[in-house]
Amino acid sequence: MLKPGLAIQISCFTREFGAFTREFCTFTREFGAFTREFRTFTREFRAFTSEFD
């Protein structure tokens, strides 16, 4: 049997960890979108600079 204090600590930790995981998923999604944008920019920039060769 768990001590009541420990059960509360585990519950708080689980809740905090869940919030962190959600934040991390959001960050990952945002970072993926940024990466796609950056790749598009790089491709367009390369096409633009190749016109001056």
Side-chain angles (χ1 to χ4, degrees), residues 39-53:
R39 221 177 290 137
T40 304
F41 167 76
T42 307
R43 199 177 315 124
E44 288 176 2
F45 188 74
R46 214 176 288 132
F48 172 73
T49 52
S50 69
E51 292 176 13
F52 296 104
D53 286 345

Side-chain angles (χ1 to χ4, degrees), residues 7-9 15 25 27 34-36 39-40 44-45 51:
I8 291 170
Q9 282 182 326
R15 201 169 37 246
C25 285
F27 167 76
F34 168 76
T35 307
R36 278 191 299 279
R39 221 177 290 137
T40 304
E44 288 176 2
F45 188 74
E51 292 176 13

Side-chain angles (χ1 to χ4, degrees), residues 21-42:
T21 306
R22 277 191 300 280
E23 287 292 317
F24 190 73
C25 285
T26 303
F27 167 76
T28 307
R29 223 179 3 256
E30 292 289 318
F31 190 72
F34 168 76
T35 307
R36 278 191 299 279
E37 289 290 319
F38 189 73
R39 221 177 290 137
T40 304
F41 167 76
T42 307

